[in-house]
Short mmCIF file of all heavy atoms in Angstrom, two decimals:
data_model
loop_
_atom_site.label_atom_id
_atom_site.label_comp_id
_atom_site.label_asym_id
_atom_site.label_seq_id
_atom_site.Cartn_x
_atom_site.Cartn_y
_atom_site.Cartn_z
N VAL A 9 -8.37 0.03 -19.45
CA VAL A 9 -8.93 -0.54 -18.23
C VAL A 9 -9.25 0.57 -17.23
O VAL A 9 -8.43 1.47 -16.99
CB VAL A 9 -7.94 -1.56 -17.62
CG1 VAL A 9 -8.43 -2.03 -16.26
CG2 VAL A 9 -7.76 -2.74 -18.56
N VAL A 18 -10.11 4.47 -9.40
CA VAL A 18 -8.71 4.43 -8.97
C VAL A 18 -7.79 4.00 -10.12
O VAL A 18 -6.59 4.23 -10.06
CB VAL A 18 -8.51 3.52 -7.73
CG1 VAL A 18 -9.29 4.06 -6.54
CG2 VAL A 18 -8.90 2.09 -8.00
N ARG A 20 -7.92 4.80 -14.20
CA ARG A 20 -8.75 5.71 -15.00
C ARG A 20 -8.49 5.62 -16.49
O ARG A 20 -8.33 6.62 -17.19
CB ARG A 20 -8.53 7.15 -14.52
CG ARG A 20 -8.92 7.33 -13.04
CD ARG A 20 -8.95 8.77 -12.64
NE ARG A 20 -7.64 9.39 -12.65
CZ ARG A 20 -7.41 10.66 -13.01
NH1 ARG A 20 -8.41 11.42 -13.39
NH2 ARG A 20 -6.18 11.14 -12.99
N ALA A 25 1.18 -2.98 -22.38
CA ALA A 25 1.52 -4.29 -22.92
C ALA A 25 2.81 -4.76 -22.28
O ALA A 25 3.75 -4.00 -22.12
CB ALA A 25 1.69 -4.21 -24.43
N ARG A 47 -3.66 -6.65 -9.59
CA ARG A 47 -4.71 -7.61 -9.20
C ARG A 47 -5.69 -7.86 -10.34
O ARG A 47 -6.20 -8.96 -10.50
CB ARG A 47 -5.45 -7.08 -7.95
CG ARG A 47 -4.60 -7.15 -6.68
CD ARG A 47 -5.31 -6.50 -5.49
NE ARG A 47 -6.61 -7.12 -5.22
CZ ARG A 47 -6.77 -8.21 -4.48
NH1 ARG A 47 -5.73 -8.79 -3.92
NH2 ARG A 47 -7.97 -8.72 -4.29
N ILE A 60 -8.66 -7.27 -20.82
CA ILE A 60 -7.34 -7.80 -20.47
C ILE A 60 -7.14 -9.11 -21.22
O ILE A 60 -8.01 -9.99 -21.22
CB ILE A 60 -7.22 -8.03 -18.94
CG1 ILE A 60 -7.42 -6.71 -18.19
CG2 ILE A 60 -5.87 -8.65 -18.60
CD1 ILE A 60 -7.40 -6.83 -16.68
N ALA A 63 -1.54 -13.75 -23.71
CA ALA A 63 -1.16 -14.48 -24.92
C ALA A 63 -2.29 -14.44 -25.95
O ALA A 63 -2.71 -15.47 -26.49
CB ALA A 63 -0.76 -15.91 -24.58
N ALA A 156 3.82 -15.46 -17.17
CA ALA A 156 4.34 -14.16 -16.73
C ALA A 156 4.38 -14.15 -15.21
O ALA A 156 3.67 -14.90 -14.54
CB ALA A 156 3.44 -13.04 -17.24
N ASP A 160 4.30 -7.67 -6.51
CA ASP A 160 3.81 -6.45 -5.86
C ASP A 160 4.74 -6.07 -4.71
O ASP A 160 4.71 -6.71 -3.66
CB ASP A 160 2.38 -6.66 -5.35
CG ASP A 160 1.74 -5.34 -4.93
OD1 ASP A 160 2.44 -4.30 -4.91
OD2 ASP A 160 0.53 -5.34 -4.62
N THR A 169 19.71 -3.66 4.23
CA THR A 169 20.96 -4.38 3.94
C THR A 169 20.70 -5.66 3.14
O THR A 169 21.50 -6.03 2.29
CB THR A 169 21.70 -4.74 5.25
OG1 THR A 169 20.76 -5.33 6.15
CG2 THR A 169 22.33 -3.53 5.88
N VAL A 174 19.00 -9.41 -2.40
CA VAL A 174 17.80 -10.17 -2.81
C VAL A 174 17.28 -9.66 -4.15
O VAL A 174 16.89 -10.44 -5.01
CB VAL A 174 16.71 -10.10 -1.71
CG1 VAL A 174 15.43 -10.78 -2.18
CG2 VAL A 174 17.20 -10.76 -0.43
N MET A 191 6.39 -5.69 -12.27
CA MET A 191 6.59 -5.44 -10.85
C MET A 191 6.05 -4.07 -10.45
O MET A 191 6.22 -3.10 -11.18
CB MET A 191 8.08 -5.51 -10.51
CG MET A 191 8.37 -5.30 -9.04
SD MET A 191 10.13 -5.47 -8.65
CE MET A 191 10.68 -3.79 -8.90
N MET A 200 14.46 1.59 -11.43
CA MET A 200 15.58 1.80 -12.35
C MET A 200 16.44 0.55 -12.43
O MET A 200 16.87 0.13 -13.50
CB MET A 200 16.47 2.94 -11.87
CG MET A 200 15.79 4.27 -11.71
SD MET A 200 15.83 5.28 -13.17
CE MET A 200 17.53 5.75 -13.24
N GLY A 212 -4.05 6.94 -10.97
CA GLY A 212 -4.80 6.02 -11.81
C GLY A 212 -4.50 6.09 -13.28
O GLY A 212 -5.18 5.45 -14.09
N SER A 285 33.06 30.09 -13.26
CA SER A 285 32.99 30.05 -14.72
C SER A 285 31.97 31.08 -15.19
O SER A 285 31.24 31.64 -14.39
CB SER A 285 32.59 28.66 -15.18
OG SER A 285 31.26 28.40 -14.77
N GLU A 318 17.49 29.05 -1.68
CA GLU A 318 18.24 27.96 -1.10
C GLU A 318 18.32 26.81 -2.10
O GLU A 318 17.34 26.50 -2.77
CB GLU A 318 17.54 27.50 0.18
CG GLU A 318 18.48 26.86 1.14
CD GLU A 318 17.79 26.44 2.43
OE1 GLU A 318 17.34 27.32 3.17
OE2 GLU A 318 17.71 25.23 2.66
N ILE A 319 19.49 26.19 -2.18
CA ILE A 319 19.72 25.12 -3.16
C ILE A 319 20.28 23.90 -2.43
O ILE A 319 21.12 24.04 -1.55
CB ILE A 319 20.74 25.57 -4.23
CG1 ILE A 319 20.28 26.86 -4.90
CG2 ILE A 319 20.95 24.49 -5.29
CD1 ILE A 319 21.43 27.62 -5.48
#
Side-chain angles (χ1 to χ4, degrees):
V9 173
V18 298
R20 300 191 293 144
R47 289 175 57 85
I60 300 177
D160 192 353
T169 48
V174 175
M191 182 177 89
M200 302 270 289
S285 66
E318 206 178 294
I319 305 156

